Amino acid sequence: VSFGMAGIARGVIMRAEVVWSVFDNGKIRFHCIGRRDTDFMYMPRFGIRLFLKKDASEVDYFGYGPHECYVDKHHSCYKEWFRTNVDDLFENYERPQENGNHYGTTYLHVGNKKGTNIQVMPENGTFEFSVSRYTQEILERTKHDYELLPTQQIIVCLDYMQSGVGSNSCGPDLIQKYRLDCA
């Protein structure tokens, strides 16, 4: 698959090619090669979003935890094997916002005993993930935490990388080493 990423009323930020390989044993390999136009600022994230059945709520992972963490905000976490569930991964902010990212992950399993499962193991390196009952769109448009209504699905975000959460909205610009700034 060849694709381009563009913002509304902006040029193409990135062009990429993805090869999906599906094997007899149910494994799927995802390989992406892209080139970002460096005239644009760094990207906030690059990844895919999957939707699973709502009962696929068990989560096992090897990465930073036990609470949310990002490339520039993970020093209060430690890298270990964690077994939890989708509800415990949710960080409840008074003003709903995207949350629950886990940096430096090398293994993820989301599923249940009934057979709805996804397992992620990169061939090299690490990835970031979040698992939630809320889409980014729901979190964006909801004004208060008590107004949140969960979806009938489990939302799994798998990211090659996310830029750090620090920004110049209330302080200095995000430090270069925490940006998804590759060409």
Side-chain angles (χ1 to χ4, degrees), residues 14-30:
M14 179 179 170
R15 294 189 189 282
E17 292 190 9
V18 177
V19 175
W20 294 84
S21 302
V22 181
F23 301 94
D24 291 345
N25 61 5
K27 289 186 178 183
I28 299 172
R29 179 177 288 139
F30 170 87

Side-chain angles (χ1 to χ4, degrees), residues 54 57 86-87 131-135 149-151 153-155:
K54 70 178 179 179
S57 61
V86 65
D87 298 316
V131 181
S132 179
R133 295 189 187 277
Y134 309 99
T135 64
L149 297 174
T151 66
Q153 297 166 310
I154 300 295
I155 294 83

Side-chain angles (χ1 to χ4, degrees), residues 113-127:
K113 292 174 180 58
K114 297 178 187 175
T116 300
N117 294 284
I118 182 172
Q119 184 176 331
V120 181
M121 296 178 292
E123 290 182 349
N124 52 44
T126 62
F127 65 98

